[in-house]
Short mmCIF file of all heavy atoms in Angstrom, two decimals:
data_model
loop_
_atom_site.label_atom_id
_atom_site.label_comp_id
_atom_site.label_asym_id
_atom_site.label_seq_id
_atom_site.Cartn_x
_atom_site.Cartn_y
_atom_site.Cartn_z
N VAL Y 445 57.92 100.53 172.84
CA VAL Y 445 58.96 100.37 173.86
C VAL Y 445 58.26 100.68 175.19
O VAL Y 445 57.67 101.76 175.36
CB VAL Y 445 60.12 101.37 173.64
CG1 VAL Y 445 61.17 101.20 174.74
CG2 VAL Y 445 60.74 101.16 172.26
N ILE Y 446 58.28 99.69 176.09
CA ILE Y 446 57.51 99.79 177.31
C ILE Y 446 58.38 100.24 178.49
O ILE Y 446 59.49 99.73 178.67
CB ILE Y 446 56.87 98.42 177.67
CG1 ILE Y 446 56.13 97.83 176.46
CG2 ILE Y 446 55.94 98.54 178.89
CD1 ILE Y 446 54.90 98.61 176.01
N ASP Y 447 57.84 101.19 179.24
CA ASP Y 447 58.49 101.58 180.49
C ASP Y 447 58.08 100.55 181.53
O ASP Y 447 56.89 100.41 181.85
CB ASP Y 447 58.03 102.99 180.89
CG ASP Y 447 58.70 103.45 182.17
OD1 ASP Y 447 59.20 102.59 182.95
OD2 ASP Y 447 58.74 104.68 182.40
N LEU Y 448 59.03 99.78 182.05
CA LEU Y 448 58.70 98.66 182.92
C LEU Y 448 58.12 99.12 184.26
O LEU Y 448 57.43 98.38 184.94
CB LEU Y 448 59.92 97.76 183.14
CG LEU Y 448 60.43 97.02 181.90
CD1 LEU Y 448 61.48 95.99 182.29
CD2 LEU Y 448 59.30 96.34 181.12
N LYS Y 449 58.40 100.35 184.61
CA LYS Y 449 57.84 100.85 185.88
C LYS Y 449 56.33 101.11 185.76
O LYS Y 449 55.55 100.77 186.63
CB LYS Y 449 58.54 102.15 186.28
CG LYS Y 449 59.79 101.90 187.11
CD LYS Y 449 60.22 103.16 187.84
CE LYS Y 449 61.50 102.88 188.61
NZ LYS Y 449 62.46 103.98 188.49
N THR Y 450 55.95 101.69 184.59
CA THR Y 450 54.55 102.09 184.44
C THR Y 450 53.77 101.13 183.55
O THR Y 450 52.55 101.13 183.54
CB THR Y 450 54.46 103.48 183.80
OG1 THR Y 450 55.11 103.41 182.53
CG2 THR Y 450 55.15 104.53 184.65
N GLY Y 451 54.52 100.36 182.70
CA GLY Y 451 53.87 99.48 181.75
C GLY Y 451 53.27 100.23 180.57
O GLY Y 451 52.49 99.70 179.79
N ILE Y 452 53.71 101.45 180.40
CA ILE Y 452 53.15 102.29 179.33
C ILE Y 452 54.17 102.47 178.21
O ILE Y 452 55.37 102.61 178.50
CB ILE Y 452 52.75 103.67 179.91
CG1 ILE Y 452 51.53 103.47 180.80
CG2 ILE Y 452 52.47 104.71 178.84
CD1 ILE Y 452 51.17 104.70 181.57
N PRO Y 453 53.69 102.46 176.93
CA PRO Y 453 54.63 102.69 175.83
C PRO Y 453 55.16 104.12 175.89
O PRO Y 453 54.38 105.06 176.01
CB PRO Y 453 53.79 102.48 174.58
CG PRO Y 453 52.55 101.82 175.03
CD PRO Y 453 52.31 102.20 176.47
N VAL Y 454 56.48 104.25 175.83
CA VAL Y 454 57.07 105.59 175.81
C VAL Y 454 57.50 105.97 174.40
O VAL Y 454 57.79 107.12 174.12
CB VAL Y 454 58.28 105.70 176.76
CG1 VAL Y 454 57.83 105.62 178.21
CG2 VAL Y 454 59.30 104.61 176.45
N ARG Y 650 62.99 92.89 185.58
CA ARG Y 650 62.64 93.86 186.64
C ARG Y 650 63.60 93.72 187.81
O ARG Y 650 64.12 94.70 188.34
CB ARG Y 650 61.21 93.62 187.09
CG ARG Y 650 60.19 94.28 186.18
CD ARG Y 650 58.95 94.64 186.99
NE ARG Y 650 58.00 95.38 186.20
CZ ARG Y 650 56.84 94.89 185.74
NH1 ARG Y 650 56.49 93.64 186.04
NH2 ARG Y 650 56.04 95.63 185.03
N TRP Y 662 54.07 92.23 175.16
CA TRP Y 662 53.15 93.37 175.07
C TRP Y 662 52.53 93.46 173.69
O TRP Y 662 51.35 93.58 173.55
CB TRP Y 662 53.88 94.67 175.38
CG TRP Y 662 54.41 94.72 176.79
CD1 TRP Y 662 53.71 95.05 177.90
CD2 TRP Y 662 55.73 94.38 177.20
NE1 TRP Y 662 54.50 94.95 179.00
CE2 TRP Y 662 55.77 94.55 178.60
CE3 TRP Y 662 56.90 93.94 176.53
CZ2 TRP Y 662 56.92 94.30 179.36
CZ3 TRP Y 662 58.02 93.72 177.28
CH2 TRP Y 662 58.04 93.89 178.68
N HIS Y 678 46.78 101.35 176.65
CA HIS Y 678 47.81 101.51 177.68
C HIS Y 678 47.75 102.85 178.38
O HIS Y 678 48.56 103.11 179.26
CB HIS Y 678 49.20 101.31 177.08
CG HIS Y 678 49.49 99.88 176.80
ND1 HIS Y 678 49.90 99.02 177.79
CD2 HIS Y 678 49.39 99.15 175.67
CE1 HIS Y 678 50.05 97.81 177.24
NE2 HIS Y 678 49.75 97.88 175.96
#
Side-chain angles (χ1 to χ4, degrees):
V445 178
I446 309 294
D447 181 339
L448 294 189
K449 272 197 182 138
T450 60
I452 289 172
V454 291
R650 278 209 174 108
W662 297 278
H678 285 280

